[in-house]
């Protein structure tokens, strides 16, 4: 009888096949006892579920408790999970549902695609979706959109509940301000912090600026409520907070439909509760401090709710450091009769070792600008007129033709997408092939739109330069004589920004596209 020897080669290979490292993600949106019990149950379930599968290796449970799912940035457990996936510690993720994973469509799709690129896939139990199958993305998009709408509905219900509590005066302040503590849901004065609050108001009423007050507190090593350093912004926040008078103004901010927070400038109703708690500052002191803040704002050209230094000085926001790219800040140097205005790199002010650029005097910048403008007035025939003629000769017809060609391709791309969607709806196209073709067409559409915008920007930039050169040439031709001092209006009309190269040299970047350097006279 023939002897047959059995060789278990495949089994031997299977013994060395690595197990799939599986992790689970859980989340509950509130920190109530019921929700915490639910979280513990989810964690126990997933740990047992993963460990009982012989082909899986338990890679951990990641969770967030008492956290809203609308934005991934607020969820430390989820961010830790994503980081471990990037570090190749996880191969597969299990989670309860799309709404537990994300209630924001953009975040959900972005995270799924990122994980897919890393070779990590997700299984959503409730919806029975495995992202390892390509057709799952289309379904996932729909479901995550539904989850986002659910979140919006929940948010609206929550907002309605909060507004009702605003109206009947039962709303609980989420975080007590510096100077107060929470005791049994009520605000009580923290005596040690209250003395600092009184000091801040007293120094402000004595005429000290917010930065000087902050510097004094930091010098005395007095920590903020969160244990960090005091800033001018923190001081302004305290001086503007009506809670120190014992009153509470509710709904100072609001959240829009995209979950972004805004200051309430009248868009929503506000509610004032008088004598809500014990006061630290009198109403008279508080009102006096508001008047001082308002007056300082007027002196500095600060308009509440606008860009802080938008129109404070002609050079505000327009002087850049050539070394580090930071903006320059206006400062007063010297003392007594020897005072002068200087502009300094903000990065150098904070840390001289990170940027070596030194200050430049404002009067030196004025003089350099006068010299530069006078050169253009004197030599406009040799500088500006040839530049204008060159710009006028620029032919944009080729660019316009290219835009028309791209628009035709965009239209064709749209039609092709509609065709494959029709085939998919009728069942003539496999889901995997549909997704592949759709993604390729979407990438092509994005590329075409980017090309079109780039050409349009080039045309717009050329036309803008032409208009600005014409305006500058007209000014220099009409100037009867050279200017003898700095003119703010001329500067605003023709200069986009100033680049500081050193204490001896600066550059003027003009709106017409010219970049002219000038020496600084000390």
């Amino acid at each position: 009888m023939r002897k047959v020897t059995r060789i278990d080669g495949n089994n031997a290979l299977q013994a060395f096949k690595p197990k799939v490292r599986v992790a689970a993600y859980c989340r509950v949106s509130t920190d109530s006892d019921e929700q915490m019990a639910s979280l513990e149950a989810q964690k126990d379930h997933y740990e047992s579920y993963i460990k009982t599968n012989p082909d899986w290796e338990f890679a951990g449970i990641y969770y967030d408790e008492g956290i809203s799912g609308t934005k991934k940035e607020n969820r430390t457990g989820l961010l830790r999970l994503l980081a471990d996936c990037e570090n190749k510690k996880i191969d597969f993720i299990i989670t309860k549902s799309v709404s537990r994973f994300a209630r924001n469509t953009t975040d959900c799709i972005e995270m799924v695609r990122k994980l897919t690129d890393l070779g990590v896939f997700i299984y959503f139990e409730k919806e029975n979706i495995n992202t390892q199958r390509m057709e799952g993305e289309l379904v996932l998009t729909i479901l995550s959109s539904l989850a986002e709408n659910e979140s919006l509905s929940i948010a609206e219900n929550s907002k309605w509940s909060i507004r009702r509590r605003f109206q009947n005066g039962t709303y609980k302040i989420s975080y007590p301000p510096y100077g107060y503590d929470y005791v049994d849901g009520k605000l009580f004065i923290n005596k040690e912090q209250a003395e600092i609050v009184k000091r801040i108001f007293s120094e402000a009423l004595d005429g000290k600026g917010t930065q000087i007050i902050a510097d004094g507190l930091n010098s005395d090593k007095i920590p903020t409520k969160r244990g960090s350093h005091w800033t001018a912004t923190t001081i302004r926040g305290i001086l503007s907070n009506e809670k120190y008078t014992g009153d509470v103004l509710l709904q100072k901010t609001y959240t829009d439909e995209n979950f972004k927070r805004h200051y309430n400038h009248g868009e929503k109703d506000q509610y004032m509760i008088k004598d809500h708690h014990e006061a630290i500052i009198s109403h008279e002191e508080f009102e006096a401090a508001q008047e001082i803040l308002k007056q300082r704002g007027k002196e500095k050209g600060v308009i509440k709710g606008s860009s802080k230094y938008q129109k404070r000085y002609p050079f505000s926001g327009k002087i850049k450091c050539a070394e580090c790219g930071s903006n320059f800040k206006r400062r007063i140097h010297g003392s007594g009769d020897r005072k002068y205005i200087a502009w300094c790199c903000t990065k150098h002010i904070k840390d001289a070792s990170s940027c070596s650029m030194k200050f430049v005097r404002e009067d030196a910048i004025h003089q350099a600008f006068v010299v530069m403008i006078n050169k253009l007035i004197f030599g406009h025939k040799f500088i500006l007129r040839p530049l204008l003629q060159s710009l006028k000769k620029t032919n944009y017809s080729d660019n316009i033709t290219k835009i028309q060609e791209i628009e035709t391709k965009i239209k064709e791309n749209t039609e092709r997408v509609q065709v494959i969607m029709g085939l998919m709806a009728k069942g003539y196209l496999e889901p995997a092939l549909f997704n592949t073709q759709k993604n390729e067409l979407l990438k092509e559409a994005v590329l075409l739109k980017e090309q079109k915008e780039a050409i349009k920007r080039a045309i717009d930039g050329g036309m803008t330069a032409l208009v600005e050169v014409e305006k500058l040439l007209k000014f220099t031709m009409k100037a009867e004589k050279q200017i003898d001092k700095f003119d703010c209006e001329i500067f605003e009309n023709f200069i986009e920004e100033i680049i500081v190269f050193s204490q001896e040299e600066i550059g003027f970047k003009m709106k017409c596209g010219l970049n002219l350097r000038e020496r600084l006279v000390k």
Side-chain angles (χ1 to χ4, degrees), residues 25-71:
Y25 175 73
C26 319
R27 179 181 65 81
V28 292
S29 55
T30 69
D31 54 5
S32 65
D33 292 340
E34 294 83 357
Q35 290 284 284
M36 290 300 103
S38 170
L39 178 61
E40 290 303 318
Q42 287 182 58
K43 289 160 65 177
D44 291 342
H45 161 71
Y46 284 123
E47 184 173 355
S48 173
Y49 179 60
I50 294 170
K51 287 183 176 179
T52 53
N53 191 317
D55 296 326
W56 290 355
E57 177 185 332
F58 180 65
I61 304 291
Y62 297 77
Y63 61 90
D64 288 302
E65 53 188 60
I67 297 293
S68 166
T70 54
K71 291 186 178 179

Side-chain angles (χ1 to χ4, degrees), residues 48 152 482 512:
S48 173
L152 283 169
Q482 295 186 342
C512 66

Side-chain angles (χ1 to χ4, degrees), residues 473-485:
L473 180 60
K474 186 176 180 181
F475 163 76
T476 55
M477 288 173 63
K478 282 190 173 182
E480 297 179 357
K481 60 179 182 179
Q482 295 186 342
I483 63 172
D484 55 4
K485 62 180 181 180

